[in-house]
Structure formats: structure tokens, C-alpha cells
Amino acid sequence: MSSETVLIENESDFMRSPETVMRLDRMGSSFPTRLSFMRTLIRRMSRENWKFERTRREVDKDGYGLSVYSVTTPNRTYSLVGFTQEIPADMRTDRVIAEVWDATFNLFDGVPTQEDIDYLAQNTPKQEGGRYRPSELALARANKSLRVFKNAVDSLSKGQQPDLDLLTSVGYLMRTSAVYGSGKFGCADRAKIADREECKAPFQIELLTVYLIRWFTIDSVEELAKEKGGKKAVKFDQTTRQFIGVGNATGLGMAPFLLKHPALIHNWVVAKETALARVRSIETPIVGTLEVFLKSLLQVSQHVDEWNVADEVQSARISRLTDEIQALRMWCENESNIYRPYPWNGIYQYVEDNFSLECQEMIVSLIIEPHGTLVDDLADTMSSTVIPKFQADMTLSHLKEVVADAYKWATTIDFSLEESQHHFWYYSEDKLEPRFGSKGVDDGVDQEMPLAIGRDVHDLNEVLQGIDDDMSIGEFAMMHPQFRHIIRRVQNTFERPYSEVQDNLLSESMRPLDLLRFKLAFFGASKFDPKSDLWTRISMYQGAPMPDQLSEPNHDCWSFPIAGKPQSYPCINCTCRKTV
């Protein structure tokens, strides 16, 4: 930290409250930050000098067959084992009901033998229908974005770069429709890898899988172009290669995770909010950081211009965001607005008072970005091994206080209204995937998942009002065992106030999309492209360095990328000093 920087003694004065942060409308406006898990992984790859190698490529002239891509960390090797095949057009779908895919993958723990390859060849293409072992850490599948994939192959085969407008409109060559880990379908349990340094941060194995899939897709297109065009063929230029991300189609499957892991979610949010508070509490800015921010507004304007979606709601929000960024740039041109004590707090307050949630959350990312030396240590606090436990020694009076304080949002909902209990969460019988049903329309209400947090707290509070404070919680739970699970959750929220979504998840107006975007932003996803209130497409690793670029000084300068230019996010966290 610069000697010119002065921090207020108590940064908590600048912390946003759980009541502000954990509301669905703000959660559904989230953007990735430099603490997002992809950024954390890329920094580790570079810092530890991970080695990447394509060890096998045994495919026919159409690219169908086996590929193996390996990465060696300081302590071990991981191998992406991929299988590609031709699939009929009428069987191509990103939905969970799909039975065939263009490419299927396992992340193998180590270097696979031929026996391992043969085993995976019999199982990986079947995905859920296969059988997996603890040597398999993740299971994934992906489909081509056909227009972009074909254009890229055809163009490169003729010695030309692909259509940049077409590539920008999609952002990737292939998109995954699932990346499973943590014991699903027989893959290794989380416990196997939890103590490995490279796996301690959230979802690092799954995101390593995606990073290798990105490399595989770019490599595959270049190899197919070479097969088709021979000596005329060229590879992607470096700018285009780095711009290409990996797509993902994400639905309800990940939404319940946020509700089932409250201690973990608290740590994620506290890290982000602490980073923001640290920056807002700077009285005199670190040299160069304000200039970086002003330049970043130019880049993010171009990034938003390239963010085109069909969804009417999100399209309108993007249009408004475009206007707001321009208005903020004009406000910043008055130097007296920003070159003053506590400039970051002043910028944030101005945006909070005048602009949309979408703009507010983007500015949170932008003002955190140039402060890596101040905030990057928080990435080490975002994991958790805590399992909330029932605390029988809490007094009933204390429990009532916590409910009244932390769950006012729930106790004031009128659950007698149909619109307050319009939806319910359940598992589908065929795919064992979460579903979001409507009462009176969808079957399955008798199999409802225990995700009705607001309703359960409301019912608990109603009963608590008629119970004397001197009764022990143990006695109360014996009399009312149906409340044991929600009491445990309330006790967790008392200790971890950012763990709870402070909205009614059963409401008629509830959009699961908000939960998805919140979680995906922590992953590092961008270009949210809603296809309904239930699922979205996204880009992952767009702008990220390729394996051969990880040693470059600007390896961490890839947020909010734009097409057709070298990734040039203005940065003072490394030696590149690039500018827009």
C-alpha cells in the first residue's frame, strides 16, 4: 500500500448491510470482481508457473476421437480427457434432457494410463449414465456454437481470421451444459481434494476443467482448419484467441446451492463487501488508481456495447446501463467531484444515489479492480468447512431477538396470500435436478425441498410469540420438532449475517435467474444472456490469458474484455501499465 494512502481506522463504517446486499434485485445485478474464482485461479496458475501440455490427440479428419490436455502444478498433475463425436441435428440441445453431446470430458486426477482411457471411453460419453471412480474429479459436456465454430474453421482454413462481429455476438466456440464435481455420479468426493492448496478456494477444480475445455475448443478449431486448408490455414491471432471464452448454459441446478451452504455464502459476500469497504475507506488514493478507474469507464462502455441479448428485461437494463456509464463519465470530468478526500466513497455514493442497481454493482467491480495489493488477500477467506449445528444452549429470548432483528423481512410477509406461496422447489424424478413449480399447475408439491426459508421463519415466529422466554430451546424443539431445521438456520444467520437471501423465494414475482447470476458472478462469469426466468447463457474466461500467456506481466488484466483489441484493461497491479 502506498505511504500516501490513509485508511479510516474502522473500515466497517463503509460496509454495506446484509439488508442492502442480500436482496434478490441487487443479487440479480451482480458482476464479477477481481476476487471471483476464475481470477483467483488464473493468478495462482501464473504465480506457481503451472505447466500445460496437450499429451494426446487421436482424432479423425472431422475431429472426432480422443484428446488429453494436462496441467502440472507444483505438487501434482491433472488431465482433461475429452471425447468428441458426431451427433444428429435433431438430438442437439443444451437442456438437461440431452443424451448426446459434441464433446464430453472428465478431469482425471493424475496422468491416465491406457487402461484409464479405455475405461473413460466407455463411460464419459454417457455422462450421467456412466460409472465413475475417485480418480475422476469432474464430469462435463459441451456443444458447439455451430455458426461461430463453422465460420472459424472455414475462415482459418482460407488463411483469414473469423468474422469478428459474429464471434463477438456469441463470444465462444463451444458452451458447456454441465460441469459436475464433488462426488456427483461417483466422481471423487470433495474431501479427497479439500486439503490441496490449489483446491481450497471454491470451485477451483470445476473452473480448471472449464479453462482446459476452453483451450481444447480453440485448439480443435485450429486443427480442423489445418486439416481442411493445409498450408493455407492459419491460427487465431493472439488478440482473437484471448477474446474467445467458453459458453455455459446454466439453469436451476445451481440455485439451491446458495441456500444449502449459508456459511460459505456468508464468506463470499463478506470478502467482496470488505474489499469494497477497504477501498471506500481510503482517504488519499493510491497513486494512479483514479486514472485507472477513469480509463476503465471507457473500456467498460465498449464492453457493454458488445453485450447484446434478446431478453427484453435485460436488454432494457443494458440500455440504461450504457446511458448511466456515460453520465458518470461526464460527472467525473469535473475534477472536484473525484479529486477530494475519500474519492472512492464519493464515487460510490454518487452512483448509489443516482443510478440503477446494475450500474451500482458494475461500479463496485471497477473501483475494487485497481486495488489488488489492498484486497487480494481476501480471496483466501472465501472457503468454509463449517457445518451449522443446532445450539441447544441458546436462550429462547435470544432466539426471538435474532428472528425479530435478522428476519424482519420474513415475519412481515403475509403468507396467507396466494401470491406469497405461488411457487415451490422440488426435485425432478427423471434427472434428479431441482425444479421450480407453481402450485395448482405443477405436480410435486408433496416432494417440496426445504427451501422455503421465509415461510418457515414466519411460522416459527408465530409460535414463538406464545412461548415464555424461560423455556429452553431444547424443550421447545422437542415440543415443535418441525422447527428444528429452521432454528439451526436462524442460529447460523446470527453468527453469519450475510448468509441469508432476504426475500421470499416462493413469491409469484420471484425470479430464480437472480440467484443464478449472483452465484455465477462470484465464479467470474460475464455477458449474462437470460433465456427465461429459469436459465441463462454466460461466457466464462472471455479475455483470460491462454496457457502460453500466463507468464506475461498483464496476465491478471482481463476484466470486461472487448473484441478486436489486445486485452488492455488499465492496471496498476502489475508491470504492464497498459492503457485503453
Side-chain angles (χ1 to χ4, degrees), residues 1-6 279 281-291 338-344 347 371 572:
M1 191 186 308
S2 168
S3 59
E4 300 178 45
T5 302
V6 179
V279 175
S281 68
I282 298 174
E283 181 176 5
T284 304
I286 298 172
V287 174
T289 51
L290 278 174
E291 290 73 19
I338 58 173
Y339 289 99
R340 60 179 182 174
Y342 306 107
W344 301 111
I347 292 169
H371 293 94
I572 66 165

Side-chain angles (χ1 to χ4, degrees), residues 29 98 120 209 215 218 220 263 266 275 288 293 297 311 327 382 393 395 416 439 464 466 468 492 547 555 577-578:
S29 302
L120 294 177
T209 303
W215 181 22
I218 293 170
S220 296
H266 170 83
F293 172 74
L297 290 177
D311 181 77
M382 298 176 76
D393 57 347
T395 64
S416 67
K439 290 183 178 178
L464 284 175
D468 292 336
N492 175 80
H555 67 273
R577 299 276 180 171
K578 285 197 174 184

Side-chain angles (χ1 to χ4, degrees), residues 366-397:
L366 292 183
I367 67 176
I368 290 174
E369 182 64 34
H371 293 94
T373 56
L374 186 65
V375 306
D376 284 354
D377 64 299
L378 293 167
D380 295 332
T381 70
M382 298 176 76
S383 59
S384 177
T385 58
V386 171
I387 299 176
K389 296 181 180 180
F390 183 84
Q391 302 170 30
D393 57 347
M394 176 184 275
T395 64
L396 208 61
S397 61

